[in-house]
Amino acid sequence: MYSLARSLLFRLDPETAHSVTLSALDMAHRLGIARGLGGEAPQDPITLMGLTFSNRVGLAAGLDKNADHLEALGALGFGFVEVGTVTPKGQSGNPKPRLFRLPAHQAIINRMGFNNAGVEHLVERVKAAQQSGKSRYQGVLGINIGKNLTTAVDDALSDYLLCLDAVHAHADYITANISSPNTPGLRNLQFGDHLSELLAGLRQRCDQLDASRGKKVPLVIKIAPDMDSDEILFVARALADNGIDGVIATNTTIERTAVAGNVHANEAGGLSGAPVRESSTRVIRGLRDALPQMPIIGVGGITDGESAREKITAGADLVQLYSGLIYRGPSLVGECVRALDKADTLIRV
């Protein structure tokens, strides 16, 4: 069924298709049929970071930046859903066109630029989704935070703290996105003094909020795949030194070797989908070697159950889907959950 829908959607501009798909999913949820779209999936609970996930397969940030579709997406069978990236103030993002499909490579290039309606809007949508009776979202919720385009990198911590303050009471975990290639200078936050200062500031504020609310909200950092082994080790040490609760590996890549020759290969932005599978898995292995106990969420190039298992055997505890959903549809959720059922029996390599 999805193959037919995809053939129609792929005739539309990618951003238009994105909006149409989410609107259709909302309607399916209202009609009570969204839950069957993700396919049959076993219950496979896992406790991590003090949270109990109904299964290991989550939705990555970026698909629902404003939490406008949380209930419908949650009905697809995900063990957790991450919304955002959200910034303190709403912003329109980069000029269009800014989203490109590469079907031959099962890939997407985007340079969206943290387009979102602002943190106040997202919080109101999350509150509505958590209080909407029988249809309310009851799963684990991650909220992904970032900085506004107009905020200098040297002042980035202030934006992250504003978002942290706003979302803390409503999130099960909070992700700081310091790895998008589409906000100039953002990736500089992954290295040197920038990283140490950011992590220390976030950890201190999160601890204060945890204490004042009597609620532990895990703090997670999302990193890029474009790192060598020394850079992975540096980041791992910084995460450990600052008591960060978990890491998401990885965001999109700026590398284009795997899609060389494609008509869109030279478009600026982050490349996601199948071409990032190997680099994402490499980073996960490096992180697991350096951080034997830290929870890792693996994302990047998961297009089937096999590639989901690959992330777990490399060292991830959970996985997230994004581009694979565009090409495979909601049935990918159930396929990956089934592939990871009783994943504690898999051998890490």
Side-chain angles (χ1 to χ4, degrees), residues 46-284:
I46 176 175
T47 299
L48 198 68
M49 302 186 295
L51 303 171
T52 299
F53 300 79
S54 59
N55 63 64
R56 297 173 186 261
V57 180
L59 176 67
L63 196 73
D64 187 7
K65 296 178 184 294
N66 298 311
D68 289 331
H69 311 280
L70 179 55
E71 296 130 303
L73 289 166
L76 295 180
F78 290 108
F80 60 110
V81 171
E82 187 170 320
V83 296
T85 298
V86 67
T87 55
K89 297 178 291 187
Q91 57 184 27
S92 59
N94 292 320
K96 299 178 182 181
R98 55 193 182 180
L99 186 62
F100 307 89
R101 304 186 194 96
L102 291 73
H105 303 279
Q106 294 190 76
I108 293 171
I109 292 175
N110 93 84
R111 52 171 180 265
M112 304 300 286
F114 288 172
N115 57 308
N116 73 102
V119 71
E120 291 184 6
H121 173 92
L122 179 139
V123 166
E124 290 305 311
R125 296 303 303 150
V126 167
K127 289 164 63 176
Q130 293 174 335
Q131 300 169 2
S132 56
K134 293 182 179 179
S135 65
R136 71 188 181 97
Y137 177 68
Q138 303 180 58
V140 171
L141 173 66
I143 300 181
N144 188 301
I145 61 175
K147 82 170 189 72
N148 280 115
L149 173 65
T150 54
T151 301
V153 171
D154 288 343
D155 299 323
L157 178 59
S158 62
D159 273 16
Y160 285 95
L161 294 180
L162 284 169
C163 288
L164 183 63
D165 290 345
V167 306
H168 183 275
H170 311 285
D172 292 308
Y173 72 88
I174 297 169
T175 301
N177 185 349
I178 60 173
S179 51
S180 170
N182 300 320
T183 296
L186 189 76
R187 286 192 170 191
N188 294 337
L189 295 173
Q190 296 179 117
F191 305 108
D193 292 341
H194 281 308
L195 180 62
S196 298
E197 292 170 5
L198 180 74
L199 296 183
L202 286 169
R203 181 72 276 164
Q204 181 182 36
R205 181 65 62 83
C206 202
D207 287 344
Q208 292 169 347
L209 292 168
D210 288 349
S212 66
R213 293 197 170 104
K215 173 191 176 185
K216 168 65 176 176
V217 179
L219 178 62
V220 177
I221 306 298
K222 187 167 186 174
I223 65 172
D226 307 304
M227 296 186 187
D228 60 29
S229 57
D230 289 340
E231 291 168 335
I232 294 170
L233 183 59
F234 174 85
V235 170
R237 286 173 175 167
L239 295 173
D241 289 347
N242 287 279
I244 302 304
D245 298 298
V247 57
I248 297 179
T250 62
N251 212 317
T252 57
T253 181
I254 56 174
E255 174 61 45
R256 292 292 189 271
T257 302
V259 296
N262 188 280
V263 65
H264 296 306
N266 294 323
E267 294 287 352
L271 174 68
S272 63
V276 79
R277 173 177 172 176
E278 182 177 343
S279 57
S280 167
T281 304
R282 175 183 58 83
V283 172
I284 291 169

